[in-house]
Amino acid sequence: GEIVATRYADIGSDVMGKIVRLPVAEGDRVRAGQVLAQIDPVQARSDAASAAALVEALDADERAAADQVRAAGHDVEAAEARARDADQLLARGRELNARAIVPVSEFETARAAHAAAVAQVASARAAADRASQALVAAGRRAAQARAQKIRADDVLRKTSVLSPIAGIVSRLRVREGEMVVFGLQNQPGSTLMTVSDLSEVNAEVKVAEADVLRLRIGQPAEVTLEAIPGKRFVGRVIEVGASALPVSGTSAAAREFRVVVRLQAPDPRLRPGLTCDSDIVTSERPNVLT
């Protein structure tokens, strides 16, 4: 089999553009959150600035609409006050007209003034309703602009490709100046590099079908590598494949199963991809004459 990292991450990009800075090289040790690559941020920064300006403009429109709502409320109060005065004058005119103290023309004038005041109240209330609706619409436009700003800021942040885990750059697939694309529905995106956490290392080995049924989780194993001769790494089985690995060629070929051995004390020199062999102890009989 081969040595693999327990945790690793294939680093891609969420934005499309040209790599303008690549501060890491293959084999470098990186920390979580470190900048691994910088995508050209000019367009993303421009979009973010435009979104911020739009938010400020629409926030100003929302404040102006709120002022109009308050002004419309004052207009309603003033119209209602005039309507109350007109109502009192009409009541007094009706009483005096019943006593034949005032001319009929003055009573008709008071009644017309009362009708006009009632109409002004209705008009002021309609204007207040329109102002309230305009305020709601302005608030929604401002909320939409803030959402667009969040998206633009997120795209700008993602022009800096950060490492999700601490480890080493085990594979670097791009160079400075190359274009990268993000994945679409049926088109994979560019893979910039692979970061592997080598604090825990596994050995993934292939076991023949004649032996796999004797394997159990937790069985002890020893792993040897040609790259580090004379040293045996102690480990335990942590995973046994439930189905055979695919084979190429004739279907009559012997099947093999994937088995994972966790090394208990990995060597700092281990690298993903090193070939290895594993001896797994499936049973043990002490003090037996052979």
Side-chain angles (χ1 to χ4, degrees), residues 108-182:
E108 293 297 334
T109 301
R111 186 161 57 184
H114 176 267
V118 171
Q120 289 176 358
V121 169
S123 176
R125 288 175 177 171
D129 290 339
R130 289 194 299 270
S132 297
Q133 293 173 2
L135 176 60
V136 172
R140 291 176 178 174
R141 288 193 296 270
Q144 182 181 12
R146 284 190 288 271
Q148 292 175 351
K149 181 179 182 299
I150 291 173
R151 182 182 183 278
D153 291 340
D154 181 64
V155 172
L156 178 59
R157 284 193 300 270
K158 288 179 179 177
T159 57
S160 297
V161 181
L162 308 180
S163 177
I165 61 174
I168 66 166
V169 180
S170 55
R171 182 174 298 177
L172 185 61
R173 303 183 181 183
V174 294
R175 294 173 181 164
E176 187 172 323
E178 291 186 12
M179 291 290 297
V180 297
V181 297
F182 53 85

Side-chain angles (χ1 to χ4, degrees), residues 181-258:
V181 297
F182 53 85
L184 298 176
Q185 184 175 4
N186 296 318
Q187 181 180 359
S190 302
T191 300
L192 308 182
M193 63 193 73
T194 301
V195 176
S196 302
D197 179 9
L198 298 180
S199 60
E200 291 185 342
V201 177
N202 294 339
E204 288 189 359
V205 296
K206 299 176 181 179
V207 177
E209 59 181 326
D211 299 325
V212 72
L213 295 181
R214 294 189 289 159
L215 296 183
R216 299 289 184 273
I217 302 297
Q219 289 175 336
E222 288 186 343
V223 177
T224 57
L225 296 87
E226 292 185 359
I228 309 178
K231 186 171 183 178
R232 303 179 69 87
F233 296 92
V234 178
R236 287 192 175 276
V237 176
I238 63 170
E239 184 179 337
V240 179
S243 59
L245 296 171
V247 296
S248 58
T250 175
S251 60
R255 296 290 197 267
E256 292 178 321
F257 289 76
R258 173 177 169 271

Side-chain angles (χ1 to χ4, degrees), residues 7-27:
R7 296 177 62 226
Y8 66 91
D10 290 329
I11 309 300
S13 175
D14 293 321
V15 297
M16 182 173 63
K18 182 173 67 174
I19 299 176
V20 296
R21 189 166 67 92
L22 194 62
V24 297
E26 190 164 330

